[in-house]
Every structure is written in structure tokens, then in C-alpha cells.
Amino acid sequence: MAAEKAQCTTPLAVEVEKRTNVPKTYIAGGVGFVLFVLVFFNVWGDLLTDLLGFAWPAYQSFKAIESTDKNDDRQWLTYWTVFGFLNILEFFSDVILYWIPFYFIIKAGIILYLILPQFKGATVLYNTVVRPYLLKEESAIDGGINKIKAKASEVVVDAIAASKND
């Protein structure tokens, strides 16, 4: 009986189940399998893993913002911090990473590890890798940001002065 209570009640899923006479779990499993095959054979692997990393977490972040519970806010802020960190690493190492067989399957697995609450992967990576690194480098990062701000302000002031002279 507990399994019956945990069933999906999403209106779209219920409607598809009624029209097709196929259980929602079979439909979800079929869609999941098709997506797995597409990523496995790298048919839109980059797009699908990016959607996995952005779409669901963005919607869950929206729900967290709208809720009064602060724990979900922390969970999704942690996710976005870790996800951003990993995206920066991927950007600078993509030439090497794309040669790894089944890279997008591995990437999808890592994203699932980060977003699924059973694993709390984002929290684990944040506490063991990202947080210690950022705490150690915080003053250097802040110094770099301040230099960039100062240079950007200087460029804007120079551009405004140059436009007035014309």
C-alpha cells in the first residue's frame, strides 16, 4: 500500500497513462531508456547532459525559493556552486575529456550523483573539494576580482571621457 501512495500524480503522466493504457512506470522507464541510449551513442549527448544539469535543478531551485524551508535553499545553492565549479573545469579540459570513451554517460552519472537527494553528492563534493579550495584561495580570488573591477571602472571612465571629447 505504501507503494501506491508514492505513485506519480502528475496530470500529464496520469493523462498519458489513461490514453495509452500503459503504466506510468513503463512510460518513465521507456523515456529514461531512450535518453540513456541517445547519451550512450552521443546523439545530442552534450545537449541532454546539459539539460539534466540545468533544467531539473533550475526548477527545483525555483521551488526552493518559493518554499519557506531553508534547507532546500542550501541544498540547491550548494549544487549550483559545485556545478559551476565543475563546468569551469570542464571548459578548460574539454579537449582532453571528449576523448574519454562514454564521456557523456560519465557526466550524466556525475550530475545524477550531484542532484539526487539519496546521494547528497553536491554536499559531499562541496565539503571535500570546493569549500576547502575556495577557503584557501579566497583572498587571492577577491584580490583578482577587485583588480578586474578597478580596471573595468577605469575603462568605462576613459570611454566616457573619450566620448565627451568627440
Side-chain angles (χ1 to χ4, degrees):
M1 284 194 206
E4 291 175 13
K5 290 181 182 179
Q7 286 185 355
C8 175
T9 58
T10 305
L12 177 63
V14 172
E15 185 63 30
V16 169
E17 182 179 45
K18 280 182 189 175
R19 289 183 184 217
T20 62
N21 288 328
V22 176
K24 295 179 292 254
T25 53
Y26 291 176
I27 294 169
V31 169
F33 178 75
V34 168
L35 292 174
F36 174 80
V37 168
L38 289 173
V39 172
F40 184 82
F41 289 111
N42 199 15
V43 178
W44 305 320
D46 198 16
L47 171 67
L48 292 172
T49 54
D50 282 347
L51 283 173
L52 178 63
F54 286 106
W56 177 257
Y59 181 67
Q60 291 302 312
S61 297
F62 158 75
K63 289 176 68 174
I65 291 167
E66 296 301 318
S67 78
T68 56
D69 184 14
K70 296 298 177 197
N71 288 330
D72 56 1
D73 296 355
R74 183 174 180 84
Q75 174 191 348
W76 290 109
L77 279 171
T78 304
Y79 168 79
W80 288 114
T81 303
V82 172
F83 187 71
F85 193 80
L86 292 176
N87 272 304
I88 291 168
L89 289 176
E90 181 186 30
F91 176 80
F92 289 109
S93 59
D94 67 342
V95 174
I96 298 167
L97 291 176
Y98 292 127
W99 284 96
I100 296 173
F102 309 114
Y103 169 69
F104 290 111
I105 291 290
I106 295 166
K107 182 179 176 182
I110 291 169
I111 292 170
L112 287 172
Y113 173 71
L114 295 176
I115 65 176
L116 291 174
Q118 303 89 301
F119 301 117
K120 299 185 189 280
T123 302
V124 170
L125 275 178
Y126 177 79
N127 289 330
T128 59
V129 178
V130 177
R131 184 173 186 269
Y133 173 78
L134 290 176
L135 286 173
K136 183 177 133 199
E137 300 296 330
E138 185 174 13
S139 61
I141 294 169
D142 288 342
I145 290 171
N146 289 333
K147 285 180 186 177
I148 292 170
K149 282 182 185 178
K151 190 66 173 172
S153 294
E154 184 181 313
V155 168
V156 169
V157 168
D158 290 347
I160 291 170
S163 69
K164 288 182 181 180
N165 292 335
D166 290 337

